[in-house]
Amino acid sequence: MDAKYINVLLIEDNLTDTALIREMLNEVQKPRFKLHNTRRLEDGLNYIEKNEADVLLLDLNLPDSFGFDTFLKAKERAPQIPIVILSAFDDEDVAINAVKGEAQDYLIKGKVDSSLLSRSMSYAIERKAIEGELIRHRDHLEELVQERTIELQEANKNLKKEIEERKMAEDEIKASLEEKNILLEEIHHRVENNLQTISNLMGLEYTQLNDKEPIEIYQESQNRVKAIALIHETLSRSEDFAIIDFGKYAHDLINHLFKSYAVDKNIDANIKMDGILLDIDTAVPCGLILNELVTNSIKHAFPSSYFEDRKLLKGRFTQPSNREFVNDQFTGQNDITGEINIFFTLDDGNFTLKVGDNGIGLPADIDFRYAETSGMQLVNALVRQLDGLIDLEKDNGCEFKIIFRESSV
Protein backbone atom coordinates (compact mmCIF):
# COMPACT_ATOMS: atom_id res chain seq x y z
CA MET A 1 0.00 0.00 0.00
CA ASP A 2 1.26 3.46 -0.92
CA ALA A 3 2.12 5.44 2.23
CA LYS A 4 -0.07 8.34 1.08
CA TYR A 5 -2.69 6.67 -1.13
CA ILE A 6 -4.93 3.62 -1.35
CA ASN A 7 -4.50 2.20 -4.84
CA VAL A 8 -7.92 1.31 -6.28
CA LEU A 9 -8.38 -0.71 -9.47
CA LEU A 10 -11.83 -0.04 -10.96
CA ILE A 11 -12.97 -2.54 -13.64
CA GLU A 12 -15.93 -0.71 -15.20
CA ASP A 13 -16.84 -0.23 -18.88
CA ASN A 14 -19.37 2.58 -18.38
CA LEU A 15 -17.52 5.88 -18.74
CA THR A 16 -20.24 7.83 -16.94
CA ASP A 17 -20.11 5.52 -13.92
CA THR A 18 -16.31 5.67 -13.97
CA ALA A 19 -16.34 9.46 -13.92
CA LEU A 20 -18.87 9.49 -11.07
CA ILE A 21 -16.80 7.07 -8.98
CA ARG A 22 -13.64 9.10 -9.62
CA GLU A 23 -15.47 12.27 -8.52
CA MET A 24 -16.72 10.58 -5.30
CA LEU A 25 -13.22 9.38 -4.40
CA ASN A 26 -11.79 12.83 -5.03
CA GLU A 27 -14.26 14.21 -2.47
CA VAL A 28 -12.74 12.05 0.28
CA GLN A 29 -10.04 13.90 2.21
CA LYS A 30 -8.79 10.96 4.29
CA PRO A 31 -7.76 8.43 3.27
CA ARG A 32 -6.73 9.51 -0.21
CA PHE A 33 -7.38 7.23 -3.17
CA LYS A 34 -5.48 6.73 -6.42
CA LEU A 35 -7.81 5.29 -9.08
CA HIS A 36 -6.85 3.20 -12.11
CA ASN A 37 -9.58 2.08 -14.52
CA THR A 38 -9.84 -0.73 -17.08
CA ARG A 39 -12.95 -1.49 -19.11
CA ARG A 40 -12.42 -5.23 -19.57
CA LEU A 41 -11.95 -7.94 -16.93
CA GLU A 42 -8.92 -9.48 -18.63
CA ASP A 43 -7.19 -6.10 -18.88
CA GLY A 44 -7.81 -5.48 -15.18
CA LEU A 45 -6.48 -8.88 -14.09
CA ASN A 46 -3.38 -8.41 -16.25
CA TYR A 47 -2.88 -5.00 -14.62
CA ILE A 48 -2.98 -6.59 -11.14
CA GLU A 49 -0.25 -9.06 -12.09
CA LYS A 50 2.14 -6.23 -12.97
CA ASN A 51 1.06 -3.38 -10.69
CA GLU A 52 0.15 -2.74 -7.07
CA ALA A 53 -3.55 -2.60 -6.16
CA ASP A 54 -4.87 -2.44 -2.59
CA VAL A 55 -8.53 -3.06 -3.44
CA LEU A 56 -10.53 -4.11 -6.53
CA LEU A 57 -13.80 -2.27 -7.28
CA LEU A 58 -15.65 -4.59 -9.69
CA ASP A 59 -18.67 -4.26 -11.96
CA LEU A 60 -20.25 -7.65 -12.80
CA ASN A 61 -21.37 -6.85 -16.37
CA LEU A 62 -18.36 -6.25 -18.61
CA PRO A 63 -17.69 -6.68 -22.35
CA ASP A 64 -15.73 -9.90 -21.79
CA SER A 65 -17.55 -11.31 -18.73
CA PHE A 66 -21.11 -11.24 -17.42
CA GLY A 67 -22.82 -11.81 -14.08
CA PHE A 68 -21.54 -13.69 -11.05
CA ASP A 69 -18.87 -15.48 -13.13
CA THR A 70 -17.08 -12.13 -13.33
CA PHE A 71 -16.51 -12.18 -9.57
CA LEU A 72 -15.45 -15.85 -9.58
CA LYS A 73 -12.84 -15.21 -12.27
CA ALA A 74 -11.47 -12.16 -10.45
CA LYS A 75 -11.29 -14.04 -7.14
CA GLU A 76 -9.44 -16.95 -8.78
CA ARG A 77 -6.86 -14.74 -10.50
CA ALA A 78 -6.36 -12.28 -7.61
CA PRO A 79 -7.16 -14.10 -4.33
CA GLN A 80 -4.90 -11.80 -2.31
CA ILE A 81 -6.80 -8.59 -3.15
CA PRO A 82 -10.06 -7.62 -1.37
CA ILE A 83 -12.94 -7.31 -3.85
CA VAL A 84 -15.84 -4.86 -3.47
CA ILE A 85 -18.63 -5.42 -6.01
CA LEU A 86 -20.30 -2.26 -7.37
CA SER A 87 -23.19 -3.40 -9.54
CA ALA A 88 -26.45 -2.17 -11.00
CA PHE A 89 -28.04 -5.50 -9.99
CA ASP A 90 -30.14 -4.92 -6.85
CA ASP A 91 -30.54 -8.68 -6.39
CA GLU A 92 -30.46 -10.04 -2.83
CA ASP A 93 -29.58 -13.60 -3.93
CA VAL A 94 -26.62 -12.38 -5.98
CA ALA A 95 -25.44 -10.23 -3.06
CA ILE A 96 -25.68 -13.17 -0.61
CA ASN A 97 -23.81 -15.48 -2.97
CA ALA A 98 -21.11 -12.84 -3.46
CA VAL A 99 -20.53 -12.42 0.29
CA LYS A 100 -20.55 -16.18 0.77
CA GLY A 101 -17.98 -16.35 -2.00
CA GLU A 102 -15.68 -14.04 0.02
CA ALA A 103 -16.52 -10.73 -1.62
CA GLN A 104 -15.83 -8.05 1.01
CA ASP A 105 -18.93 -6.01 0.11
CA TYR A 106 -21.77 -5.68 -2.42
CA LEU A 107 -22.78 -2.11 -3.28
CA ILE A 108 -25.61 -0.97 -5.55
CA LYS A 109 -25.01 1.77 -8.11
CA GLY A 110 -27.13 4.80 -7.44
CA LYS A 111 -27.26 4.02 -3.70
CA VAL A 112 -23.64 4.86 -2.91
CA ASP A 113 -22.08 8.15 -1.86
CA SER A 114 -18.44 9.06 -1.36
CA SER A 115 -18.52 8.34 2.38
CA LEU A 116 -20.03 4.86 2.02
CA LEU A 117 -17.72 3.96 -0.86
CA SER A 118 -14.66 5.11 1.12
CA ARG A 119 -15.67 3.17 4.25
CA SER A 120 -16.47 0.05 2.27
CA MET A 121 -13.06 -0.09 0.60
CA SER A 122 -11.15 0.83 3.77
CA TYR A 123 -12.85 -1.89 5.79
CA ALA A 124 -12.43 -4.38 2.95
CA ILE A 125 -8.67 -3.85 3.16
CA GLU A 126 -8.67 -4.17 6.96
CA ARG A 127 -10.76 -7.36 6.94
CA LYS A 128 -8.58 -8.93 4.26
CA ALA A 129 -5.50 -8.18 6.37
CA ILE A 130 -7.11 -9.77 9.46
CA GLU A 131 -8.09 -12.84 7.44
CA GLY A 132 -4.50 -13.14 6.28
CA GLU A 133 -3.25 -12.99 9.87
CA LEU A 134 -5.71 -15.68 10.93
CA ILE A 135 -4.59 -17.90 8.06
CA ARG A 136 -1.00 -17.48 9.19
CA HIS A 137 -2.03 -18.61 12.68
CA ARG A 138 -3.78 -21.60 11.15
CA ASP A 139 -0.66 -22.48 9.16
CA HIS A 140 1.39 -22.22 12.34
CA LEU A 141 -1.01 -24.63 14.04
CA GLU A 142 -0.59 -27.04 11.13
CA GLU A 143 3.17 -26.90 11.63
CA LEU A 144 2.73 -27.70 15.32
CA VAL A 145 0.48 -30.62 14.43
CA GLN A 146 3.05 -31.91 11.96
CA GLU A 147 5.84 -31.57 14.52
CA ARG A 148 3.74 -33.36 17.11
CA THR A 149 2.92 -36.11 14.62
CA ILE A 150 6.62 -36.62 13.91
CA GLU A 151 7.32 -36.84 17.64
CA LEU A 152 4.55 -39.40 18.04
CA GLN A 153 5.85 -41.43 15.12
CA GLU A 154 9.32 -41.45 16.66
CA ALA A 155 7.90 -42.59 19.99
CA ASN A 156 6.02 -45.32 18.14
CA LYS A 157 9.27 -46.57 16.56
CA ASN A 158 10.92 -46.78 19.97
CA LEU A 159 8.02 -48.74 21.36
CA LYS A 160 8.17 -51.24 18.51
CA LYS A 161 11.67 -52.23 19.63
CA GLU A 162 10.12 -53.66 22.77
CA ILE A 163 7.22 -55.39 21.02
CA GLU A 164 8.02 -58.89 22.34
CA GLU A 165 8.38 -57.82 25.97
CA ARG A 166 5.63 -55.18 26.19
CA LYS A 167 3.01 -56.29 23.69
CA MET A 168 -0.01 -55.28 25.79
CA ALA A 169 1.51 -51.97 26.89
CA GLU A 170 2.34 -51.07 23.29
CA ASP A 171 -1.25 -51.66 22.20
CA GLU A 172 -2.53 -49.26 24.86
CA ILE A 173 0.01 -46.59 23.90
CA LYS A 174 -0.90 -46.88 20.21
CA ALA A 175 -4.56 -46.40 21.05
CA SER A 176 -3.71 -43.32 23.10
CA LEU A 177 -1.60 -41.86 20.31
CA GLU A 178 -4.31 -42.43 17.73
CA GLU A 179 -6.82 -40.69 19.97
CA LYS A 180 -4.56 -37.65 20.36
CA ASN A 181 -4.02 -37.46 16.59
CA ILE A 182 -7.77 -37.50 16.05
CA LEU A 183 -8.24 -34.75 18.64
CA LEU A 184 -5.53 -32.59 17.07
CA GLU A 185 -7.09 -32.99 13.63
CA GLU A 186 -10.47 -32.12 15.10
CA ILE A 187 -9.05 -28.97 16.72
CA HIS A 188 -7.56 -27.96 13.36
CA HIS A 189 -10.96 -28.45 11.71
CA ARG A 190 -12.69 -26.38 14.38
CA VAL A 191 -10.15 -23.57 14.07
CA GLU A 192 -11.02 -23.36 10.37
CA ASN A 193 -14.71 -23.19 11.29
CA ASN A 194 -13.97 -20.44 13.80
CA LEU A 195 -12.10 -18.44 11.16
CA GLN A 196 -15.31 -18.48 9.14
CA THR A 197 -17.28 -17.51 12.25
CA ILE A 198 -15.00 -14.49 12.73
CA SER A 199 -15.50 -13.47 9.10
CA ASN A 200 -19.28 -13.74 9.51
CA LEU A 201 -19.18 -11.67 12.73
CA MET A 202 -17.32 -8.90 10.97
CA GLY A 203 -19.80 -9.00 8.13
CA LEU A 204 -22.66 -8.73 10.62
CA GLU A 205 -21.07 -5.71 12.29
CA TYR A 206 -20.43 -4.08 8.91
CA THR A 207 -24.18 -3.87 8.29
CA GLN A 208 -24.31 -1.42 11.25
CA LEU A 209 -21.90 1.07 9.65
CA ASN A 210 -24.52 3.76 9.23
CA ASP A 211 -25.44 3.61 12.94
CA LYS A 212 -22.05 3.22 14.62
CA GLU A 213 -18.71 4.92 14.62
CA PRO A 214 -15.95 2.88 12.91
CA ILE A 215 -13.84 2.83 16.10
CA GLU A 216 -16.77 1.26 18.01
CA ILE A 217 -17.25 -1.35 15.28
CA TYR A 218 -13.52 -2.13 15.34
CA GLN A 219 -13.50 -2.48 19.14
CA GLU A 220 -16.55 -4.78 19.16
CA SER A 221 -15.10 -6.92 16.35
CA GLN A 222 -11.75 -7.06 18.16
CA ASN A 223 -13.44 -8.24 21.37
CA ARG A 224 -15.37 -10.93 19.47
CA VAL A 225 -12.15 -12.19 17.94
CA LYS A 226 -10.57 -12.13 21.43
CA ALA A 227 -13.50 -14.14 22.83
CA ILE A 228 -12.79 -16.92 20.31
CA ALA A 229 -9.01 -16.62 20.65
CA LEU A 230 -9.27 -17.06 24.44
CA ILE A 231 -11.07 -20.38 23.84
CA HIS A 232 -8.03 -21.69 21.99
CA GLU A 233 -5.60 -20.18 24.49
CA THR A 234 -7.47 -21.93 27.31
CA LEU A 235 -7.55 -25.14 25.28
CA SER A 236 -3.81 -24.99 24.63
CA ARG A 237 -3.14 -24.79 28.39
CA SER A 238 -5.47 -27.71 29.15
CA GLU A 239 -4.29 -31.26 29.75
CA ASP A 240 -7.35 -32.48 27.84
CA PHE A 241 -7.37 -31.22 24.24
CA ALA A 242 -11.16 -31.46 24.01
CA ILE A 243 -12.44 -29.88 27.27
CA ILE A 244 -12.34 -26.26 28.47
CA ASP A 245 -12.62 -25.00 32.06
CA PHE A 246 -15.22 -22.34 31.29
CA GLY A 247 -14.92 -20.70 34.71
CA LYS A 248 -11.25 -19.92 34.10
CA TYR A 249 -12.09 -18.75 30.59
CA ALA A 250 -14.88 -16.46 31.86
CA HIS A 251 -12.56 -14.72 34.35
CA ASP A 252 -10.02 -14.09 31.57
CA LEU A 253 -12.70 -12.78 29.19
CA ILE A 254 -14.33 -10.43 31.72
CA ASN A 255 -10.90 -9.12 32.76
CA HIS A 256 -10.17 -8.36 29.09
CA LEU A 257 -13.53 -6.59 28.58
CA PHE A 258 -13.11 -4.46 31.73
CA LYS A 259 -9.68 -3.36 30.49
CA SER A 260 -10.89 -2.84 26.92
CA TYR A 261 -13.69 -0.50 28.01
CA ALA A 262 -11.73 1.04 30.93
CA VAL A 263 -14.53 0.09 33.34
CA ASP A 264 -14.92 2.37 36.35
CA LYS A 265 -14.04 0.91 39.78
CA ASN A 266 -17.68 1.33 40.82
CA ILE A 267 -18.76 -1.53 38.54
CA ASP A 268 -18.10 -5.08 39.79
CA ALA A 269 -18.36 -8.47 38.11
CA ASN A 270 -19.61 -11.42 40.17
CA ILE A 271 -18.70 -14.72 38.52
CA LYS A 272 -19.92 -18.08 39.84
CA MET A 273 -19.46 -21.14 37.64
CA ASP A 274 -17.15 -23.57 39.44
CA GLY A 275 -16.63 -26.91 37.73
CA ILE A 276 -18.24 -26.01 34.38
CA LEU A 277 -16.40 -27.99 31.69
CA LEU A 278 -17.37 -27.58 28.01
CA ASP A 279 -16.24 -29.02 24.72
CA ILE A 280 -15.12 -26.48 22.12
CA ASP A 281 -18.34 -26.70 20.07
CA THR A 282 -20.29 -25.52 23.12
CA ALA A 283 -17.63 -23.17 24.52
CA VAL A 284 -17.38 -20.97 21.40
CA PRO A 285 -21.08 -19.94 21.25
CA CYS A 286 -21.22 -19.61 25.06
CA GLY A 287 -18.11 -17.42 25.01
CA LEU A 288 -19.55 -15.17 22.30
CA ILE A 289 -22.88 -14.92 24.16
CA LEU A 290 -21.05 -13.95 27.35
CA ASN A 291 -18.97 -11.37 25.44
CA GLU A 292 -22.06 -9.73 23.91
CA LEU A 293 -24.18 -9.59 27.09
CA VAL A 294 -21.39 -8.33 29.37
CA THR A 295 -20.38 -5.76 26.75
CA ASN A 296 -24.00 -4.58 26.63
CA SER A 297 -24.08 -4.17 30.42
CA ILE A 298 -20.75 -2.31 30.48
CA LYS A 299 -21.80 0.12 27.73
CA HIS A 300 -25.45 0.76 28.56
CA ALA A 301 -26.48 -0.35 32.07
CA PHE A 302 -24.61 2.23 34.14
CA PRO A 303 -24.75 5.80 32.77
CA SER A 304 -23.40 8.54 35.02
CA SER A 305 -26.92 9.42 36.14
CA TYR A 306 -27.28 5.93 37.65
CA PHE A 307 -24.54 6.58 40.24
CA GLU A 308 -25.53 10.22 40.90
CA ASP A 309 -29.14 9.31 41.75
CA ARG A 310 -28.15 6.47 44.08
CA LYS A 311 -25.47 8.49 45.87
CA LEU A 312 -28.10 11.07 46.80
CA LEU A 313 -30.40 8.34 48.09
CA LYS A 314 -27.74 6.37 49.98
CA GLY A 315 -26.28 9.47 51.63
CA ARG A 316 -29.44 9.84 53.68
CA PHE A 317 -29.20 6.42 55.32
CA THR A 318 -25.60 5.12 55.45
CA GLN A 319 -22.18 6.04 56.73
CA PRO A 320 -19.05 5.55 54.57
CA SER A 321 -16.74 2.56 55.13
CA ASN A 322 -13.98 0.78 53.19
CA ARG A 323 -14.20 -1.07 49.88
CA GLU A 324 -13.13 -4.70 50.29
CA PHE A 325 -12.28 -7.58 47.94
CA VAL A 326 -14.11 -10.77 48.90
CA ASN A 327 -13.76 -14.04 46.97
CA ASP A 328 -14.69 -13.45 43.29
CA GLN A 329 -16.04 -9.91 43.61
CA PHE A 330 -15.43 -6.39 44.81
CA THR A 331 -17.84 -5.11 47.46
CA GLY A 332 -18.18 -1.35 47.43
CA GLN A 333 -19.30 -0.36 50.89
CA ASN A 334 -18.48 3.30 50.72
CA ASP A 335 -19.37 3.68 47.04
CA ILE A 336 -22.48 3.08 44.97
CA THR A 337 -21.64 -0.09 43.07
CA GLY A 338 -23.02 -1.35 39.78
CA GLU A 339 -22.99 -5.13 39.56
CA ILE A 340 -22.70 -7.45 36.59
CA ASN A 341 -23.64 -10.99 37.64
CA ILE A 342 -22.63 -14.11 35.74
CA PHE A 343 -23.86 -17.50 36.96
CA PHE A 344 -23.41 -20.79 35.10
CA THR A 345 -24.77 -24.06 36.50
CA LEU A 346 -25.32 -27.66 35.38
CA ASP A 347 -28.29 -29.56 36.83
CA ASP A 348 -29.56 -32.95 35.58
CA GLY A 349 -28.03 -32.47 32.14
CA ASN A 350 -29.30 -28.88 31.72
CA PHE A 351 -26.93 -25.91 31.56
CA THR A 352 -28.26 -22.57 32.82
CA LEU A 353 -26.31 -19.40 32.00
CA LYS A 354 -27.48 -16.17 33.65
CA VAL A 355 -25.98 -12.81 32.74
CA GLY A 356 -27.48 -9.72 34.32
CA ASP A 357 -26.89 -6.39 36.02
CA ASN A 358 -28.54 -4.03 38.48
CA GLY A 359 -28.38 -1.11 36.07
CA ILE A 360 -31.09 0.96 34.42
CA GLY A 361 -32.54 -2.02 32.52
CA LEU A 362 -33.90 -2.22 28.98
CA PRO A 363 -36.60 0.14 27.69
CA ALA A 364 -40.08 -1.37 28.00
CA ASP A 365 -40.77 -1.10 24.25
CA ILE A 366 -37.74 -3.16 23.18
CA ASP A 367 -38.22 -6.86 22.34
CA PHE A 368 -34.74 -8.39 22.49
CA ARG A 369 -35.81 -11.28 20.27
CA TYR A 370 -36.35 -8.88 17.39
CA ALA A 371 -33.66 -6.33 18.20
CA GLU A 372 -32.00 -4.48 15.33
CA THR A 373 -28.57 -4.40 16.98
CA SER A 374 -26.01 -6.87 15.70
CA GLY A 375 -25.10 -7.90 19.27
CA MET A 376 -28.58 -9.14 20.22
CA GLN A 377 -29.08 -10.68 16.77
CA LEU A 378 -25.88 -12.62 17.36
CA VAL A 379 -26.98 -13.73 20.85
CA ASN A 380 -30.30 -15.05 19.53
CA ALA A 381 -28.55 -16.87 16.68
CA LEU A 382 -26.06 -18.48 19.06
CA VAL A 383 -28.84 -19.62 21.42
CA ARG A 384 -30.52 -21.30 18.45
CA GLN A 385 -27.18 -22.91 17.58
CA LEU A 386 -27.14 -24.43 21.08
CA ASP A 387 -30.77 -25.61 20.66
CA GLY A 388 -31.46 -23.54 23.75
CA LEU A 389 -34.04 -21.15 25.17
CA ILE A 390 -33.51 -17.53 26.20
CA ASP A 391 -35.61 -15.36 28.49
CA LEU A 392 -35.30 -11.90 30.04
CA GLU A 393 -36.20 -10.69 33.53
CA LYS A 394 -36.38 -6.92 34.06
CA ASP A 395 -36.61 -6.67 37.86
CA ASN A 396 -33.92 -4.39 39.37
CA GLY A 397 -32.00 -4.07 36.09
CA CYS A 398 -32.12 -6.94 33.65
CA GLU A 399 -31.05 -10.59 33.58
CA PHE A 400 -30.80 -12.86 30.56
CA LYS A 401 -31.38 -16.57 31.29
CA ILE A 402 -30.25 -19.16 28.75
CA ILE A 403 -30.97 -22.88 29.12
CA PHE A 404 -29.63 -25.66 26.91
CA ARG A 405 -28.92 -29.38 27.12
CA GLU A 406 -25.54 -30.85 27.91
CA SER A 407 -23.71 -31.98 24.77
CA SER A 408 -23.52 -35.70 24.15
CA VAL A 409 -20.03 -35.29 22.64
Side-chain angles (χ1 to χ4, degrees):
M1 185 184 297
D2 191 299
K4 297 182 179 179
Y5 296 93
I6 292 177
N7 295 304
V8 181
L9 172 60
L10 170 64
I11 304 181
E12 168 65 69
D13 62 323
N14 188 301
L15 297 179
T16 301
D17 288 342
T18 299
L20 180 60
I21 292 169
R22 188 182 300 276
E23 182 179 345
M24 284 192 289
L25 294 182
N26 287 336
E27 292 175 358
V28 179
Q29 297 299 316
K30 188 176 182 181
R32 302 294 294 172
F33 295 93
K34 183 182 292 183
L35 183 67
H36 180 82
N37 170 238
T38 65
R39 301 181 64 185
R40 297 170 59 86
L41 178 63
E42 186 64 27
D43 294 341
L45 297 179
N46 289 336
Y47 174 86
I48 290 175
E49 292 177 354
K50 301 177 182 179
N51 300 274
E52 180 181 4
D54 299 312
V55 62
L56 171 57
L57 196 58
L58 180 66
D59 186 13
L60 295 181
N61 294 335
L62 299 168
D64 58 341
S65 184
F66 185 83
F68 193 67
D69 284 344
T70 304
F71 166 70
L72 296 177
K73 293 175 184 177
K75 174 188 170 184
E76 181 180 3
R77 289 275 297 275
Q80 77 284 3
I81 298 179
I83 300 175
V84 175
I85 297 175
L86 181 58
S87 173
F89 282 134
D90 192 356
D91 188 316
E92 183 176 352
D93 291 336
V94 174
I96 292 174
N97 289 333
V99 173
K100 287 183 177 179
E102 298 182 6
Q104 297 297 327
D105 205 353
Y106 189 98
L107 304 177
I108 307 300
K109 291 181 180 178
K111 298 182 180 181
V112 178
D113 58 16
S114 59
S115 177
L116 176 58
L117 183 59
S118 171
R119 290 199 306 270
S120 176
M121 292 192 294
S122 296
Y123 278 99
I125 294 171
E126 290 182 14
R127 286 196 300 273
K128 195 70 174 181
I130 292 173
E131 290 171 5
E133 182 65 23
L134 292 173
I135 289 172
R136 285 190 287 275
H137 283 297
R138 183 196 65 187
D139 293 341
H140 177 62
L141 179 59
E142 290 177 345
E143 292 177 0
L144 294 177
V145 171
Q146 291 174 356
E147 292 175 0
R148 181 59 175 160
T149 300
I150 293 173
E151 292 174 1
L152 295 174
Q153 290 173 345
E154 184 63 28
N156 201 27
K157 290 179 182 179
N158 294 333
L159 289 172
K160 285 181 179 180
K161 295 179 182 179
E162 303 175 7
I163 189 170
E164 294 181 358
E165 299 177 2
R166 305 181 62 182
K167 176 64 174 165
M168 294 183 63
E170 184 191 46
D171 291 341
E172 293 177 358
I173 292 174
K174 283 183 178 180
S176 176
L177 294 175
E178 289 174 1
E179 180 183 1
K180 289 182 179 180
N181 278 331
I182 292 172
L183 288 171
L184 287 171
E185 291 174 1
E186 183 65 17
I187 290 171
H188 170 60
H189 173 70
R190 286 164 174 170
V191 168
E192 288 184 333
N193 289 342
N194 288 337
L195 293 177
Q196 184 60 46
T197 298
I198 291 169
S199 178
N200 292 341
L201 290 176
M202 291 180 174
L204 178 65
E205 197 62 75
Y206 181 69
T207 63
Q208 304 282 323
L209 270 177
N210 291 331
D211 301 322
K212 294 184 178 180
E213 293 295 331
I215 188 66
E216 183 180 359
I217 293 174
Y218 175 79
Q219 186 178 31
E220 291 179 359
S221 297
Q222 186 181 48
N223 286 336
R224 288 168 180 166
V225 171
K226 183 65 175 180
I228 294 178
L230 277 175
I231 293 287
H232 293 284
E233 290 179 16
T234 305
L235 196 64
S236 68
R237 296 193 297 267
S238 173
E239 294 182 1
D240 189 329
F241 291 157
I243 300 298
I244 293 171
D245 182 343
F246 201 77
K248 175 64 170 64
Y249 164 80
H251 279 83
D252 291 343
L253 177 62
I254 302 309
N255 184 54
H256 166 74
L257 291 176
F258 269 47
K259 290 181 179 178
S260 177
Y261 289 102
V263 173
D264 186 86
K265 66 179 182 179
N266 287 333
I267 300 177
D268 294 334
N270 305 320
I271 305 173
K272 295 182 180 179
M273 55 177 71
D274 293 340
I276 298 296
L277 303 177
L278 302 177
D279 61 63
I280 191 171
D281 288 333
T282 304
V284 169
C286 286
L288 288 170
I289 290 171
L290 184 59
N291 175 74
E292 296 301 323
L293 295 181
V294 172
T295 297
N296 190 62
S297 291
I298 290 173
K299 293 173 60 178
H300 305 297
F302 305 107
S304 58
S305 58
Y306 171 87
F307 296 104
E308 293 171 359
D309 293 344
R310 282 155 181 76
K311 284 180 179 178
L312 290 175
L313 180 62
K314 185 175 182 181
R316 302 174 185 174
F317 301 103
T318 62
Q319 297 297 323
S321 57
N322 294 324
R323 177 179 173 90
E324 299 178 354
F325 183 77
V326 180
N327 297 329
D328 285 343
Q329 67 181 39
F330 279 107
T331 58
Q333 298 181 9
N334 65 336
D335 296 320
I336 302 301
T337 303
E339 294 183 353
I340 299 175
N341 300 309
I342 304 158
F343 305 138
F344 204 174
T345 59
L346 173 61
D347 182 20
D348 195 22
N350 287 318
F351 282 110
T352 301
L353 173 61
K354 295 181 180 180
V355 182
D357 59 66
N358 64 346
I360 62 174
L362 292 178
D365 60 343
I366 290 183
D367 187 343
F368 72 92
R369 290 185 175 87
Y370 302 98
E372 297 181 356
T373 60
S374 61
M376 287 311 305
Q377 290 174 4
L378 177 60
V379 169
N380 284 305
L382 291 168
V383 172
R384 289 193 295 271
Q385 180 179 326
L386 292 168
D387 291 328
L389 301 173
I390 182 171
D391 199 6
L392 172 63
E393 295 183 3
K394 296 184 178 181
D395 294 336
N396 190 28
C398 69
E399 179 183 78
F400 287 91
K401 180 180 180 181
I402 299 160
I403 301 175
F404 60 94
R405 293 287 297 174
E406 185 175 12
S407 173
S408 60
V409 178

